Amino acid sequence: MLRPTPGELLAITRRELAEQVLPSLPAGAPARQLKAALHVLAQLERTWDLMPSYLAADNNDLRASLAELQRLTGISAPARRETAVEVPGVLDEALRTLIRDNEALQADLDEAQQAWRTSGRQDEIVARLLLDLHVRMGERARLAAGLA
Amino acid sequence: MPRTEADEPRISEGVAELLGTALPDAVGLTVSGVARVFGGNARRAWSATASWTDADGGHTADLILLVRLSGSQVRTDPADEIRHLTGLAEQGVRAPRVWAHDGDGHLFGMPAVLLQRMAGRGDAVEYLRADPELGRARTLDLARAAAELHAASPSTGPYDPGAQLEQWRSQFLASRLEPHPALGWLLDWLTDHQPAIERTVVVHGDFRVGNVLYDGPHITGLLDWEMAHLGDAAEDLAWAYRALWSPVRFCSIEDFVAAYADAGGAAIPADSLRWHRVFSEVKFAAISLAAARSLVDGTSTNLRLADRARTVVPAVNLCLSWIAAAEQTARSEAGAAC
Protein backbone atom coordinates (compact mmCIF):
# COMPACT_ATOMS: atom_id res chain seq x y z
CA MET A 1 0.00 0.00 0.00
CA LEU A 2 1.60 3.21 -1.16
CA ARG A 3 -1.21 5.75 -1.34
CA PRO A 4 -2.15 7.89 0.33
CA THR A 5 1.41 8.53 1.43
CA PRO A 6 2.06 9.65 5.01
CA GLY A 7 2.60 13.16 3.64
CA GLU A 8 -0.82 13.09 1.98
CA LEU A 9 -2.45 11.84 5.17
CA LEU A 10 -0.81 14.59 7.17
CA ALA A 11 -1.97 17.19 4.64
CA ILE A 12 -5.55 15.88 4.65
CA THR A 13 -5.67 15.73 8.43
CA ARG A 14 -4.29 19.24 8.75
CA ARG A 15 -6.70 20.60 6.14
CA GLU A 16 -9.79 19.11 7.77
CA LEU A 17 -8.81 20.16 11.26
CA ALA A 18 -8.13 23.69 10.00
CA GLU A 19 -11.33 23.96 7.98
CA GLN A 20 -13.80 21.93 10.05
CA VAL A 21 -12.67 21.97 13.66
CA LEU A 22 -10.73 25.18 14.26
CA PRO A 23 -13.56 27.52 13.20
CA SER A 24 -15.91 25.84 15.66
CA LEU A 25 -13.65 26.43 18.64
CA PRO A 26 -14.03 29.59 20.71
CA ALA A 27 -10.93 31.67 21.35
CA GLY A 28 -8.96 30.22 24.23
CA ALA A 29 -6.65 27.43 25.22
CA PRO A 30 -8.20 24.65 23.08
CA ALA A 31 -8.00 26.83 19.95
CA ARG A 32 -4.39 27.75 20.77
CA GLN A 33 -3.50 24.09 21.23
CA LEU A 34 -5.12 23.18 17.91
CA LYS A 35 -3.29 25.97 16.08
CA ALA A 36 -0.02 24.70 17.53
CA ALA A 37 -0.89 21.16 16.47
CA LEU A 38 -1.63 22.38 12.93
CA HIS A 39 1.77 24.02 12.85
CA VAL A 40 3.42 20.75 13.86
CA LEU A 41 1.44 18.84 11.23
CA ALA A 42 2.59 21.31 8.57
CA GLN A 43 6.21 20.80 9.65
CA LEU A 44 5.81 17.03 9.47
CA GLU A 45 4.16 17.32 6.09
CA ARG A 46 7.23 19.14 4.74
CA THR A 47 9.82 16.89 6.35
CA TRP A 48 8.46 13.42 7.18
CA ASP A 49 10.60 11.54 4.65
CA LEU A 50 13.77 13.65 4.71
CA MET A 51 15.39 12.13 7.77
CA PRO A 52 17.10 9.02 6.28
CA SER A 53 19.01 10.91 3.57
CA TYR A 54 19.80 13.74 5.99
CA LEU A 55 21.21 11.38 8.58
CA ALA A 56 23.19 9.33 6.04
CA ALA A 57 24.88 12.49 4.72
CA ASP A 58 25.47 13.86 8.20
CA ASN A 59 26.96 10.59 9.44
CA ASN A 60 29.32 10.34 6.47
CA ASP A 61 30.51 13.90 6.96
CA LEU A 62 30.96 13.39 10.70
CA ARG A 63 32.97 10.19 10.22
CA ALA A 64 35.25 11.79 7.61
CA SER A 65 35.70 14.98 9.64
CA LEU A 66 36.46 13.10 12.86
CA ALA A 67 39.06 11.03 11.02
CA GLU A 68 40.65 14.21 9.64
CA LEU A 69 40.55 15.78 13.09
CA GLN A 70 42.33 12.76 14.49
CA ARG A 71 44.94 12.94 11.73
CA LEU A 72 45.60 16.61 12.39
CA THR A 73 45.56 16.56 16.17
CA GLY A 74 46.40 13.03 17.19
CA ILE A 75 43.33 13.03 19.38
CA SER A 76 41.79 9.58 19.18
CA ALA A 77 38.13 9.04 18.69
CA PRO A 78 36.57 7.64 21.84
CA ALA A 79 35.67 3.98 22.00
CA ARG A 80 32.42 3.20 20.20
CA ARG A 81 29.42 3.49 22.43
CA GLU A 82 26.81 0.89 23.13
CA THR A 83 24.29 1.52 20.35
CA ALA A 84 21.23 -0.17 21.87
CA VAL A 85 19.86 3.14 23.12
CA GLU A 86 16.15 3.82 22.89
CA VAL A 87 14.91 5.65 19.81
CA PRO A 88 11.33 6.56 20.71
CA GLY A 89 8.82 6.87 17.91
CA VAL A 90 10.90 5.15 15.22
CA LEU A 91 9.87 1.69 14.01
CA ASP A 92 12.22 1.13 11.07
CA GLU A 93 15.44 -0.61 12.12
CA ALA A 94 17.57 1.07 9.44
CA LEU A 95 16.39 4.50 10.54
CA ARG A 96 16.96 3.58 14.18
CA THR A 97 20.54 2.68 13.29
CA LEU A 98 21.08 5.97 11.47
CA ILE A 99 19.75 7.91 14.46
CA ARG A 100 21.85 5.95 16.95
CA ASP A 101 24.94 6.44 14.80
CA ASN A 102 24.26 10.15 14.47
CA GLU A 103 23.86 10.61 18.20
CA ALA A 104 27.06 8.65 18.83
CA LEU A 105 28.97 10.66 16.21
CA GLN A 106 27.65 13.92 17.63
CA ALA A 107 28.91 12.79 21.04
CA ASP A 108 32.27 11.84 19.53
CA LEU A 109 32.58 15.31 18.00
CA ASP A 110 31.58 16.89 21.28
CA GLU A 111 34.31 14.98 23.09
CA ALA A 112 36.95 15.51 20.38
CA GLN A 113 36.48 19.27 20.26
CA GLN A 114 36.53 19.40 24.05
CA ALA A 115 39.76 17.41 24.12
CA TRP A 116 41.30 19.70 21.52
CA ARG A 117 40.30 22.83 23.45
CA THR A 118 41.53 21.38 26.74
CA SER A 119 44.90 20.64 25.15
CA GLY A 120 45.44 24.38 24.82
CA ARG A 121 46.99 24.02 21.39
CA GLN A 122 46.21 26.56 18.64
CA ASP A 123 45.91 25.56 15.01
CA GLU A 124 44.03 27.59 12.43
CA ILE A 125 43.43 24.55 10.21
CA VAL A 126 41.80 22.62 13.07
CA ALA A 127 39.74 25.66 14.03
CA ARG A 128 38.55 26.03 10.44
CA LEU A 129 37.78 22.32 10.16
CA LEU A 130 35.52 22.47 13.23
CA LEU A 131 33.77 25.69 12.20
CA ASP A 132 33.22 24.48 8.63
CA LEU A 133 31.87 21.16 9.88
CA HIS A 134 29.37 22.90 12.16
CA VAL A 135 28.29 25.16 9.31
CA ARG A 136 27.67 22.14 7.03
CA MET A 137 25.81 20.27 9.78
CA GLY A 138 23.68 23.35 10.46
CA GLU A 139 22.78 23.73 6.81
CA ARG A 140 21.79 20.05 6.52
CA ALA A 141 19.73 20.33 9.71
CA ARG A 142 18.01 23.44 8.36
CA LEU A 143 16.91 21.62 5.22
CA ALA A 144 15.86 18.51 7.11
CA ALA A 145 13.79 20.61 9.51
CA GLY A 146 11.95 22.18 6.60
CA LEU A 147 13.13 25.65 7.52
CA ALA A 148 13.36 28.38 4.88
CA MET B 1 -1.21 23.23 40.78
CA PRO B 2 -1.80 26.57 39.05
CA ARG B 3 -5.30 27.84 39.47
CA THR B 4 -7.80 28.18 36.65
CA GLU B 5 -10.68 30.53 35.83
CA ALA B 6 -12.86 28.56 38.22
CA ASP B 7 -10.55 29.58 41.05
CA GLU B 8 -11.03 33.32 40.66
CA PRO B 9 -12.67 33.87 44.06
CA ARG B 10 -9.67 32.14 45.64
CA ILE B 11 -7.31 34.20 43.45
CA SER B 12 -9.02 37.28 44.83
CA GLU B 13 -8.52 36.04 48.39
CA GLY B 14 -4.90 35.18 47.68
CA VAL B 15 -4.21 38.60 46.17
CA ALA B 16 -5.78 40.29 49.19
CA GLU B 17 -3.68 38.17 51.56
CA LEU B 18 -0.50 38.83 49.58
CA LEU B 19 -1.11 42.56 49.28
CA GLY B 20 -1.95 42.70 52.96
CA THR B 21 1.59 41.65 53.78
CA ALA B 22 2.82 44.83 52.05
CA LEU B 23 0.18 47.06 53.62
CA PRO B 24 0.12 46.26 57.33
CA ASP B 25 -1.74 49.50 58.12
CA ALA B 26 -4.41 49.07 55.46
CA VAL B 27 -8.03 48.97 56.54
CA GLY B 28 -10.88 47.53 54.49
CA LEU B 29 -8.61 46.01 51.84
CA THR B 30 -10.74 44.64 49.00
CA VAL B 31 -9.80 43.08 45.68
CA SER B 32 -12.17 43.23 42.73
CA GLY B 33 -12.26 42.73 38.99
CA VAL B 34 -10.12 39.59 38.95
CA ALA B 35 -9.68 38.45 35.34
CA ARG B 36 -7.37 36.03 33.58
CA VAL B 37 -5.00 37.70 31.16
CA PHE B 38 -2.28 36.27 28.95
CA GLY B 39 0.87 35.70 30.97
CA GLY B 40 3.15 34.13 28.38
CA ASN B 41 4.44 30.57 28.19
CA ALA B 42 6.04 30.58 31.62
CA ARG B 43 3.44 32.14 33.89
CA ARG B 44 -0.28 32.52 34.42
CA ALA B 45 -1.54 36.02 34.97
CA TRP B 46 -4.55 37.73 36.48
CA SER B 47 -5.40 41.41 36.57
CA ALA B 48 -7.20 42.88 39.57
CA THR B 49 -7.91 46.15 41.34
CA ALA B 50 -7.36 46.68 45.06
CA SER B 51 -8.83 49.35 47.30
CA TRP B 52 -7.97 50.20 50.89
CA THR B 53 -7.78 52.98 53.40
CA ASP B 54 -4.95 54.04 55.67
CA ALA B 55 -3.89 57.13 57.57
CA ASP B 56 -3.34 58.98 54.27
CA GLY B 57 -6.85 58.28 53.02
CA GLY B 58 -8.34 56.01 50.39
CA HIS B 59 -6.24 54.24 47.79
CA THR B 60 -6.82 52.23 44.64
CA ALA B 61 -4.18 50.20 42.79
CA ASP B 62 -4.32 48.32 39.50
CA LEU B 63 -2.49 45.04 39.96
CA ILE B 64 -1.24 42.09 38.01
CA LEU B 65 -0.58 38.71 39.62
CA LEU B 66 1.98 36.47 37.92
CA VAL B 67 2.14 32.83 38.98
CA ARG B 68 4.90 30.65 37.62
CA LEU B 69 3.85 27.55 35.69
CA SER B 70 5.29 24.15 36.48
CA GLY B 71 7.49 22.91 33.64
CA SER B 72 8.49 26.46 32.77
CA GLN B 73 11.43 26.71 30.39
CA VAL B 74 12.62 29.69 32.41
CA ARG B 75 14.72 28.31 35.24
CA THR B 76 15.61 31.46 37.07
CA ASP B 77 15.14 32.02 40.78
CA PRO B 78 11.98 34.14 41.35
CA ALA B 79 13.77 35.78 44.29
CA ASP B 80 16.32 37.25 41.87
CA GLU B 81 13.55 38.86 39.83
CA ILE B 82 12.16 40.52 42.94
CA ARG B 83 15.60 41.60 44.12
CA HIS B 84 16.49 43.31 40.85
CA LEU B 85 13.04 44.74 40.08
CA THR B 86 12.35 46.23 43.49
CA GLY B 87 13.01 49.95 43.51
CA LEU B 88 13.48 50.42 39.76
CA ALA B 89 10.12 52.16 39.26
CA GLU B 90 11.01 54.54 42.05
CA GLN B 91 14.19 55.46 40.11
CA GLY B 92 12.26 56.44 37.01
CA VAL B 93 12.73 53.19 35.15
CA ARG B 94 9.67 52.15 33.11
CA ALA B 95 9.23 49.12 35.32
CA PRO B 96 6.29 48.04 37.46
CA ARG B 97 6.28 48.60 41.17
CA VAL B 98 6.63 45.40 43.16
CA TRP B 99 3.78 45.15 45.67
CA ALA B 100 4.48 41.75 47.18
CA HIS B 101 5.63 38.26 46.35
CA ASP B 102 4.92 34.71 47.43
CA GLY B 103 8.30 33.07 47.11
CA ASP B 104 7.43 29.61 48.39
CA GLY B 105 4.17 29.25 46.50
CA HIS B 106 2.02 28.77 49.60
CA LEU B 107 -0.77 30.97 48.23
CA PHE B 108 -0.99 29.89 44.60
CA GLY B 109 0.87 26.59 44.45
CA MET B 110 3.88 28.10 42.67
CA PRO B 111 5.99 31.22 43.28
CA ALA B 112 4.03 34.37 42.50
CA VAL B 113 4.60 38.09 42.36
CA LEU B 114 2.09 40.93 42.64
CA LEU B 115 3.01 43.93 40.49
CA GLN B 116 1.66 47.30 39.50
CA ARG B 117 -0.44 46.99 36.32
CA MET B 118 0.98 49.57 33.94
CA ALA B 119 -0.89 51.43 31.21
CA GLY B 120 -0.38 50.82 27.51
CA ARG B 121 -0.87 48.23 24.81
CA GLY B 122 1.18 45.07 24.67
CA ASP B 123 1.01 43.36 21.30
CA ALA B 124 4.27 42.37 19.62
CA VAL B 125 2.60 41.55 16.32
CA GLU B 126 0.90 44.94 16.20
CA TYR B 127 4.19 46.60 17.22
CA LEU B 128 6.11 44.92 14.43
CA ARG B 129 3.41 45.71 11.84
CA ALA B 130 3.23 49.40 12.72
CA ASP B 131 3.62 52.20 10.25
CA PRO B 132 7.41 52.58 9.67
CA GLU B 133 7.57 56.10 11.06
CA LEU B 134 5.62 55.20 14.19
CA GLY B 135 7.58 51.98 14.60
CA ARG B 136 10.89 53.82 14.35
CA ALA B 137 9.86 56.44 16.91
CA ARG B 138 8.68 53.71 19.28
CA THR B 139 11.85 51.67 18.80
CA LEU B 140 14.10 54.65 19.44
CA ASP B 141 12.10 55.25 22.63
CA LEU B 142 12.74 51.61 23.51
CA ALA B 143 16.46 52.40 23.28
CA ARG B 144 15.91 55.31 25.66
CA ALA B 145 14.02 53.02 28.05
CA ALA B 146 17.02 50.67 28.01
CA ALA B 147 19.37 53.56 28.79
CA GLU B 148 17.17 54.60 31.74
CA LEU B 149 17.19 51.06 33.08
CA HIS B 150 20.94 50.68 32.78
CA ALA B 151 21.51 54.07 34.39
CA ALA B 152 19.63 52.96 37.51
CA SER B 153 21.71 51.89 40.46
CA PRO B 154 22.56 48.23 40.16
CA SER B 155 21.46 45.88 42.86
CA THR B 156 24.13 44.73 45.21
CA GLY B 157 26.21 41.72 44.30
CA PRO B 158 28.96 40.95 41.83
CA TYR B 159 28.54 40.01 38.18
CA ASP B 160 30.56 37.08 36.99
CA PRO B 161 30.07 36.60 33.24
CA GLY B 162 31.79 33.24 33.42
CA ALA B 163 29.27 32.06 35.98
CA GLN B 164 26.43 33.22 33.79
CA LEU B 165 27.84 31.27 30.85
CA GLU B 166 28.22 28.20 33.03
CA GLN B 167 24.63 28.54 34.18
CA TRP B 168 23.43 28.51 30.57
CA ARG B 169 25.78 25.64 29.77
CA SER B 170 24.27 23.70 32.67
CA GLN B 171 20.76 24.40 31.44
CA PHE B 172 21.77 23.30 27.94
CA LEU B 173 23.33 20.07 29.21
CA ALA B 174 20.34 19.30 31.42
CA SER B 175 17.80 19.98 28.68
CA ARG B 176 19.32 18.62 25.49
CA LEU B 177 17.73 15.59 23.89
CA GLU B 178 20.83 14.91 21.77
CA PRO B 179 24.49 16.05 22.06
CA HIS B 180 24.25 19.25 19.91
CA PRO B 181 28.04 19.64 19.53
CA ALA B 182 27.61 22.98 17.71
CA LEU B 183 26.04 24.48 20.82
CA GLY B 184 28.87 23.14 22.96
CA TRP B 185 31.33 24.66 20.48
CA LEU B 186 29.50 28.01 20.64
CA LEU B 187 29.54 28.00 24.43
CA ASP B 188 33.30 27.40 24.29
CA TRP B 189 33.65 30.24 21.77
CA LEU B 190 31.72 32.53 24.12
CA THR B 191 33.95 31.52 27.03
CA ASP B 192 37.11 32.15 25.00
CA HIS B 193 36.01 35.52 23.57
CA GLN B 194 34.39 37.29 26.51
CA PRO B 195 34.51 41.07 26.06
CA ALA B 196 35.61 43.42 28.80
CA ILE B 197 32.72 44.80 30.86
CA GLU B 198 32.68 48.57 31.17
CA ARG B 199 30.07 48.75 33.92
CA THR B 200 27.80 46.24 35.61
CA VAL B 201 24.13 47.16 35.35
CA VAL B 202 20.72 45.64 36.02
CA VAL B 203 19.92 43.77 32.82
CA HIS B 204 16.28 43.04 32.03
CA GLY B 205 17.27 39.72 30.49
CA ASP B 206 14.25 39.41 28.18
CA PHE B 207 14.29 42.88 26.65
CA ARG B 208 12.24 42.73 23.44
CA VAL B 209 9.19 44.20 21.79
CA GLY B 210 7.03 41.36 23.10
CA ASN B 211 7.72 42.47 26.66
CA VAL B 212 6.80 46.14 26.43
CA LEU B 213 3.69 48.27 26.74
CA TYR B 214 3.34 51.23 24.42
CA ASP B 215 1.10 54.17 23.67
CA GLY B 216 1.67 55.71 20.26
CA PRO B 217 5.40 56.37 19.87
CA HIS B 218 6.10 55.97 23.59
CA ILE B 219 7.16 52.90 25.52
CA THR B 220 5.09 53.04 28.71
CA GLY B 221 6.29 49.93 30.48
CA LEU B 222 8.81 47.11 30.49
CA LEU B 223 7.30 43.77 31.44
CA ASP B 224 8.36 40.24 32.34
CA TRP B 225 11.40 40.59 34.57
CA GLU B 226 11.87 36.89 35.30
CA MET B 227 15.32 36.85 33.74
CA ALA B 228 16.59 40.10 35.29
CA HIS B 229 20.14 39.94 36.57
CA LEU B 230 23.34 41.90 36.88
CA GLY B 231 25.27 42.00 33.66
CA ASP B 232 26.53 43.89 30.65
CA ALA B 233 24.19 46.45 29.07
CA ALA B 234 24.94 45.06 25.59
CA GLU B 235 23.04 41.90 26.55
CA ASP B 236 19.67 43.70 26.48
CA LEU B 237 20.42 45.54 23.24
CA ALA B 238 21.48 42.35 21.46
CA TRP B 239 18.46 40.40 22.76
CA ALA B 240 16.09 43.10 21.47
CA TYR B 241 17.37 42.37 17.97
CA ARG B 242 17.03 38.58 17.91
CA ALA B 243 15.72 37.66 14.47
CA LEU B 244 12.38 36.31 15.73
CA TRP B 245 11.26 39.64 17.19
CA SER B 246 13.75 42.16 15.80
CA PRO B 247 12.43 45.69 15.11
CA VAL B 248 15.06 46.04 12.37
CA ARG B 249 12.31 46.93 9.88
CA PHE B 250 12.04 50.27 11.67
CA CYS B 251 15.57 50.87 12.84
CA SER B 252 18.94 49.17 12.35
CA ILE B 253 20.70 47.81 15.42
CA GLU B 254 23.41 50.42 14.81
CA ASP B 255 20.83 53.24 15.01
CA PHE B 256 19.31 51.58 18.08
CA VAL B 257 22.70 51.44 19.82
CA ALA B 258 23.38 55.06 18.83
CA ALA B 259 20.02 56.18 20.26
CA TYR B 260 20.84 54.26 23.43
CA ALA B 261 24.17 56.12 23.72
CA ASP B 262 22.48 59.47 22.97
CA ALA B 263 20.14 58.78 25.89
CA GLY B 264 23.06 58.31 28.25
CA GLY B 265 23.84 54.66 27.70
CA ALA B 266 27.41 53.46 27.40
CA ALA B 267 29.03 53.12 23.98
CA ILE B 268 28.87 49.47 22.89
CA PRO B 269 31.96 48.25 20.97
CA ALA B 270 31.22 46.21 17.84
CA ASP B 271 32.95 43.07 19.14
CA SER B 272 30.95 43.27 22.38
CA LEU B 273 27.70 43.64 20.44
CA ARG B 274 28.61 40.64 18.25
CA TRP B 275 29.53 38.54 21.31
CA HIS B 276 26.21 39.40 22.95
CA ARG B 277 24.30 38.61 19.76
CA VAL B 278 25.90 35.16 19.75
CA PHE B 279 25.16 34.85 23.46
CA SER B 280 21.52 35.80 22.80
CA GLU B 281 21.12 33.04 20.24
CA VAL B 282 22.78 30.47 22.51
CA LYS B 283 20.54 31.52 25.40
CA PHE B 284 17.49 31.25 23.17
CA ALA B 285 18.63 27.81 22.03
CA ALA B 286 19.05 26.65 25.64
CA ILE B 287 15.59 27.98 26.53
CA SER B 288 14.15 26.26 23.46
CA LEU B 289 15.70 22.94 24.43
CA ALA B 290 14.28 23.28 27.95
CA ALA B 291 10.88 24.01 26.45
CA ALA B 292 11.08 21.01 24.14
CA ARG B 293 12.14 18.76 26.98
CA SER B 294 9.30 19.93 29.21
CA LEU B 295 6.82 18.75 26.58
CA VAL B 296 8.64 15.45 26.00
CA ASP B 297 8.85 14.84 29.76
CA GLY B 298 5.19 15.74 30.22
CA THR B 299 5.87 18.57 32.66
CA SER B 300 4.19 20.92 30.18
CA THR B 301 1.13 20.32 28.01
CA ASN B 302 1.60 23.41 25.85
CA LEU B 303 1.74 22.25 22.23
CA ARG B 304 3.36 25.52 21.20
CA LEU B 305 6.52 24.08 22.72
CA ALA B 306 6.44 21.10 20.33
CA ASP B 307 8.34 22.94 17.65
CA ARG B 308 10.87 24.67 19.88
CA ALA B 309 13.73 22.22 19.34
CA ARG B 310 13.71 23.08 15.64
CA THR B 311 14.27 26.76 16.44
CA VAL B 312 17.74 25.82 17.68
CA VAL B 313 18.86 25.25 14.10
CA PRO B 314 18.53 28.82 12.75
CA ALA B 315 19.84 30.23 16.03
CA VAL B 316 23.02 28.15 15.77
CA ASN B 317 23.40 28.85 12.05
CA LEU B 318 23.17 32.59 12.61
CA CYS B 319 25.93 32.45 15.23
CA LEU B 320 28.16 30.39 12.97
CA SER B 321 27.66 32.86 10.12
CA TRP B 322 28.60 35.82 12.35
CA ILE B 323 31.69 34.06 13.66
CA ALA B 324 32.74 32.91 10.18
CA ALA B 325 32.30 36.45 8.84
CA ALA B 326 34.31 37.94 11.71
CA GLU B 327 37.10 35.42 11.19
CA GLN B 328 37.11 36.11 7.46
CA THR B 329 37.40 39.84 8.16
CA ALA B 330 40.24 39.23 10.62
CA ARG B 331 42.10 37.09 8.07
CA SER B 332 41.61 39.75 5.38
CA GLU B 333 42.89 42.47 7.70
CA ALA B 334 45.87 40.34 8.70
CA GLY B 335 46.60 39.67 5.01
CA ALA B 336 46.40 43.36 4.18
CA ALA B 337 48.75 44.20 7.06
CA CYS B 338 51.32 41.81 5.61
Side-chain angles (χ1 to χ4, degrees):
Chain A
M1 192 206 75
L2 302 175
R3 304 292 300 270
T5 65
E8 286 178 296
L9 288 173
L10 287 164
I12 293 164
T13 305
R14 184 172 65 85
R15 182 189 70 208
E16 295 308 315
L17 287 172
E19 294 180 1
Q20 306 294 328
V21 181
L22 185 59
S24 69
L25 288 178
R32 285 198 297 272
Q33 288 283 72
L34 181 54
K35 284 180 185 172
L38 292 172
H39 178 73
V40 172
L41 289 174
Q43 283 278 6
L44 292 173
E45 208 179 304
R46 291 198 298 273
T47 61
W48 71 273
D49 57 349
L50 299 179
M51 194 172 258
S53 59
Y54 155 61
L55 288 171
D58 212 48
N59 290 350
N60 286 339
D61 191 6
L62 275 161
R63 284 192 187 95
S65 298
L66 284 166
E68 179 65 1
L69 190 64
Q70 183 177 354
R71 188 185 71 77
L72 289 169
T73 65
I75 293 172
S76 302
R80 209 83 185 109
R81 285 167 187 73
E82 172 58 54
T83 56
V85 293
E86 288 283 315
V87 186
V90 178
L91 303 177
D92 179 69
E93 184 53 42
L95 182 54
R96 277 206 297 266
T97 300
L98 284 168
I99 291 172
R100 286 179 185 133
D101 285 354
N102 192 262
E103 287 203 21
L105 288 161
Q106 284 190 55
D108 289 350
L109 174 58
D110 215 18
E111 289 182 25
Q113 66 191 14
Q114 280 293 328
W116 171 248
R117 181 167 178 268
T118 304
S119 76
R121 290 150 63 193
Q122 304 281 329
D123 186 317
E124 192 177 332
I125 293 172
V126 173
R128 286 287 298 279
L129 182 149
L130 288 170
L131 176 56
D132 290 349
L133 172 60
H134 287 307
V135 169
R136 291 195 303 276
M137 289 175 69
E139 177 60 11
R140 277 193 295 269
R142 183 183 71 78
L143 295 172
L147 300 166
Chain B
M1 289 289 291
R3 296 180 179 188
T4 65
E5 289 85 342
D7 298 315
E8 280 169 12
R10 284 182 289 162
I11 292 292
S12 177
E13 291 169 15
V15 168
E17 185 177 340
L18 189 55
L19 186 58
T21 63
L23 300 169
D25 299 327
V27 176
L29 176 61
T30 61
V31 173
S32 60
V34 172
R36 270 293 297 277
V37 292
F38 182 64
N41 287 332
R43 301 201 275 202
R44 291 189 181 222
W46 287 263
S47 63
T49 300
S51 301
W52 70 93
T53 303
D54 61 18
D56 295 327
H59 304 274
T60 300
D62 291 328
L63 306 169
I64 188 132
L65 173 72
L66 299 169
V67 181
R68 189 171 278 215
L69 281 168
S70 60
S72 165
Q73 64 268 35
V74 175
R75 296 181 179 175
T76 53
D77 183 346
D80 286 342
E81 174 186 10
I82 306 306
R83 184 162 57 91
H84 295 305
L85 182 56
T86 299
L88 287 180
E90 291 79 356
Q91 294 185 68
V93 176
R94 301 177 216 187
R97 172 181 175 174
V98 178
W99 280 103
H101 63 101
D102 167 20
D104 61 12
H106 71 282
L107 286 173
F108 304 100
M110 290 290 284
V113 59
L114 190 62
L115 301 174
Q116 169 195 4
R117 189 166 85 243
M118 304 174 80
R121 285 184 61 76
D123 185 332
V125 173
E126 180 185 84
Y127 185 121
L128 292 171
R129 287 180 179 167
D131 165 77
E133 193 174 336
L134 175 62
R136 181 173 176 84
R138 198 180 277 158
T139 302
L140 293 174
D141 197 41
L142 182 63
R144 287 189 282 275
E148 291 166 7
L149 164 62
H150 297 155
S153 301
S155 306
T156 55
Y159 166 51
D160 177 357
Q164 190 185 194
L165 273 178
E166 284 313 304
Q167 176 200 324
W168 284 104
R169 188 190 295 272
S170 296
Q171 174 163 333
F172 156 61
L173 293 174
S175 305
R176 63 182 178 175
L177 297 163
E178 58 187 289
H180 285 295
L183 270 172
W185 186 88
L186 286 171
L187 281 158
D188 289 343
W189 184 90
L190 286 167
T191 302
D192 295 343
H193 294 81
Q194 285 179 54
I197 299 165
E198 301 294 331
R199 179 170 170 263
T200 298
V201 301
V202 175
V203 170
H204 180 282
D206 197 7
F207 191 83
R208 57 187 170 92
V209 300
N211 281 333
V212 302
L213 294 173
Y214 53 86
D215 180 10
H218 303 295
I219 300 298
T220 57
L222 305 176
L223 308 175
D224 210 347
W225 293 77
E226 273 184 302
M227 293 165 70
H229 59 275
L230 296 183
D232 189 310
E235 186 178 335
D236 276 342
L237 307 189
W239 187 254
Y241 271 74
R242 276 212 67 252
L244 189 61
W245 48 68
S246 168
V248 69
R249 187 168 79 83
F250 307 126
C251 174
S252 70
I253 192 168
E254 290 79 13
D255 285 356
F256 187 77
V257 171
Y260 170 82
D262 287 347
I268 308 291
D271 61 342
S272 175
L273 189 60
R274 179 172 56 245
W275 188 93
H276 282 93
R277 296 193 87 179
V278 172
F279 180 45
S280 292
E281 298 300 328
V282 170
K283 264 199 316 185
F284 180 78
I287 293 167
S288 293
L289 291 176
R293 176 170 280 280
S294 70
L295 193 65
V296 171
D297 288 350
T299 51
S300 172
T301 57
N302 183 354
L303 282 176
R304 285 194 297 177
L305 305 183
D307 197 40
R308 287 294 296 271
R310 283 177 200 261
T311 65
V312 171
V313 175
V316 165
N317 289 355
L318 203 49
C319 294
L320 295 171
S321 70
W322 285 329
I323 293 169
E327 293 192 355
Q328 180 62 44
T329 301
R331 275 195 297 275
S332 299
E333 288 173 356
C338 295

